[in-house]
Amino acid sequence: MSIGEPVYRCFVDGMRRLASVLPAMALPLAVGLFAVVGTTFASRGQPLARPLDAAGIALLLAGPAALGVRRIQPVAALGLAAAALAAYLGIGYPFGPVFLAPVLALCFAVTAGHRVAAYTITGIAFAAVLLVHIVAHPSQPFPLTGVAGWLAWLIAVIAASEGWRARRERLAQARAAREET
């Protein structure tokens, strides 16, 4: 054993740990970057919205950060991302791609099989965001068209997630059947 071998082993072990963490963190980092950059540009056309400050950026990044636990706690990731979205919009920060993290968390929760919890959290978050809009803009009429559009998108995302979950289950069953024979 040479003198440099323990250092080399330590380096290799560290690189292996980093390589196992990077794929799991790539999505939250990309979504966070996209949310901040996209919302910064989108806020330029929303003069009535509260200016994006440090607290707004923190809330904006809370949703993508919640995606970091999506594989081990998909329901918690969805709950945190939805709560961050409701708080962000409730305070009056500008719209942008702020819905991306909760929608992705919804997909992960449904495909992991936590359907009832995912539907419940999504319904509560949808109602909370709608209530925030109604309270923030009392002089405007009820946004029926916007609500119908967002509800249609949520149903489409849920349907796609259910289809993906069912496909994975069928593939696992076919794999198990092949292994038995």
Side-chain angles (χ1 to χ4, degrees):
M1 178 189 268
S2 68
I3 295 176
E5 193 169 336
V7 173
Y8 173 76
R9 283 187 185 167
C10 182
F11 175 76
V12 169
D13 290 343
M15 292 307 289
R16 284 187 185 143
R17 276 189 240 115
L18 182 63
S20 69
V21 170
L22 281 181
M25 295 312 294
L27 180 67
L29 291 172
V31 171
L33 180 66
F34 183 71
V36 170
V37 171
T39 303
T40 300
F41 282 113
S43 69
R44 294 179 182 170
Q46 301 174 50
L48 299 178
R50 180 178 177 163
L52 199 57
D53 54 9
I57 291 175
L59 282 171
L60 196 57
L61 291 174
L67 292 175
V69 297
R70 70 191 182 276
R71 293 184 180 164
I72 55 173
Q73 289 291 330
V75 175
L78 175 58
L80 290 170
L85 171 69
Y88 177 87
L89 294 176
I91 294 173
Y93 287 113
F95 281 93
V98 297
F99 297 95
L100 185 58
V103 167
L104 287 173
L106 170 64
C107 293
F108 283 108
V110 170
T111 56
H114 302 284
R115 299 155 67 184
V116 173
Y119 300 157
T120 303
I121 292 171
T122 301
I124 291 169
F126 185 79
V129 169
L130 180 61
L131 184 64
V132 161
H133 177 78
I134 291 170
V135 169
H137 307 287
S139 61
Q140 293 182 355
F142 186 76
L144 188 60
T145 307
V147 169
W150 278 106
L151 196 55
W153 274 108
L154 276 176
I155 291 170
V157 167
I158 288 171
S161 299
E162 285 288 354
W164 184 258
R165 182 191 57 76
R167 180 179 181 273
R168 283 182 25 194
E169 286 179 0
R170 282 193 309 272
L171 288 174
Q173 289 171 351
R175 196 174 311 120
R178 276 194 308 266
E179 289 175 0
E180 286 179 5
T181 58

